Every structure is written in C-alpha cells, then in structure tokens.
Amino acid sequence: YRWTGQQLRYAPALTALVEDLPFPAEVDMSFSAASLTDDDDVCIAGEAGCQGYKKRFDKAPGSEVRLGRLRIENAHGSELQSLPLPLLVETWRDLSGARFAPETEDACTTPVELGSVNFISYSDALSPGDTAATVASFRAGGGQLTLSPPGAGNHGSARLDFPALADWLKYGWEGAVRRSAVGVGTFGIYQGSKPLI
C-alpha cells in the first residue's frame, strides 16, 4: 500500500506473488500526535485538542482486493469473414495452487475501461486500413474484440493492444513494466511451417 495525495493505493508487483492472492479490504490507520504536528509546532487538533488519530476501515461484506489482468486471446480465420478475438478478465487466486483464472464475478470492466484498440503492426499482405476492430459488450469478465474481414488475398497478421487500458487490467507480461496484453489476429489459410533444407 502507498499513502499519496490523501489516498491509500494498492500497488501490486509486476508479476503475481503469493502476497497478491485475494485479501480482505480492511485497513487500520493510526497517527501519533507528533506526526500530526508540523515544523512550527502547530498540531491538527480536534475537539479534544492535540492528540493521535486512529481509524479502522472495515471490509464491506464480501469485498476483497484481487490482482487482475485482461488477456487477449489470439485467433486465426478466413480473410473473407469477421475474426473474433476473445477478451478475458482473469484474477490471481489459489485454486489448487496459485494461478490466474477467469473472473466471472467482474462487473466493473466495460469498453470504457478498455479504451480504443491500437494496431501495433501488420505482416504479409495485410496493411493498415484493411481491417477494423470493434469491441462487443463486456459481461461477467468476458467479451470479444472483432476484426472486420480484410477481403480476398489480404492474408496476414495484425498485432494489437489497448494502450489506454485501465491500470488494474494491466500486467507485467514481460516483467519490466505493467502494460496491456497484446493479441494477434491472423487472416488466411494456415499452410504450416515452411520446409527447411
């Protein structure tokens, strides 16, 4: 936790640890009279004068803090049809061992928290403007991002992400910084690996 700007913030690790398993949303805060006194010896005084302050924020029934992330699943299909890429909110839980699992109780994530889709790169015959992305409604921790069909002969892959994704849905996918997941949509017939001599 960090106390900044009159707010208490939970700062999860870049990658999930045992400490990030779900925990009750309750906090005990206490400030001594000395810590409430500034350099001029002026104390933030209440009705009883200068004294310490103590407050317990009890958990609301059923509330707990969970480490979450949004995952974009890759997809492959014909360049003549729309291509759905599943979107999934996952939380770090202890289910026969600590792991990420789909969060079906998510009622907070909407297309607003996802932000707009960003096309990072294209490959093969696929070019910018050949396909567009739309996000369907999000319910119970799941939804889908749909790529429009690029048309005959426009085969290839598009890498995409959500650069304005809400912070609580980002994750340290590569360990260096918390960021949006990246998904890949591939159009065209899969011809297998190229033969090597």
Side-chain angles (χ1 to χ4, degrees):
Y1 288 106
R2 278 196 190 146
W3 178 263
T4 57
Q6 303 295 323
Q7 292 184 340
L8 189 64
R9 294 187 176 266
Y10 166 59
L14 286 174
T15 56
L17 304 170
V18 172
E19 291 84 10
D20 292 308
L21 288 170
F23 55 90
E26 58 185 20
V27 177
D28 283 324
M29 289 178 33
S30 61
F31 301 94
S32 67
S35 69
L36 296 174
T37 303
D38 67 15
D39 292 338
D40 298 332
D41 287 330
V42 175
C43 179
I44 299 172
E47 295 175 6
C50 186
Q51 61 183 12
Y53 173 79
K54 204 169 198 180
K55 175 72 176 172
R56 179 179 177 86
F57 296 93
D58 289 324
K59 59 184 179 181
S63 66
E64 63 182 4
V65 177
R66 296 181 183 181
L67 173 64
R69 68 183 187 185
L70 175 80
R71 185 165 50 95
I72 307 170
E73 293 189 358
N74 300 333
H76 182 270
S78 168
E79 71 269 26
L80 303 177
Q81 296 179 351
S82 296
L83 183 63
L85 281 73
L87 302 174
L88 191 63
V89 172
E90 300 174 319
T91 54
W92 181 247
R93 291 184 277 164
D94 189 1
L95 304 169
S96 301
R99 64 183 174 93
F100 277 100
E103 182 53 71
T104 57
E105 295 179 13
D106 175 35
C108 302
T109 306
T110 67
V112 172
E113 280 75 36
L114 301 180
S116 60
V117 177
N118 172 53
F119 285 93
I120 301 168
S121 63
Y122 300 88
S123 70
D124 297 328
L126 202 60
S127 303
D130 286 344
T131 184
T134 56
V135 176
S137 63
F138 227 90
R139 287 185 316 127
Q144 74 180 28
L145 181 156
T146 303
L147 298 178
S148 63
N154 289 334
H155 54 85
S157 297
R159 294 180 72 237
L160 44 90
D161 69 354
F162 292 97
L165 186 69
D167 286 341
W168 67 85
L169 295 172
K170 294 179 180 178
Y171 185 67
W173 297 101
E174 295 172 355
V177 66
R178 293 178 63 84
R179 62 171 182 78
S180 169
V182 174
V184 179
T186 304
F187 292 98
I189 298 172
Y190 179 66
Q191 298 178 0
S193 300
K194 292 183 180 178
L196 299 174
I197 298 176

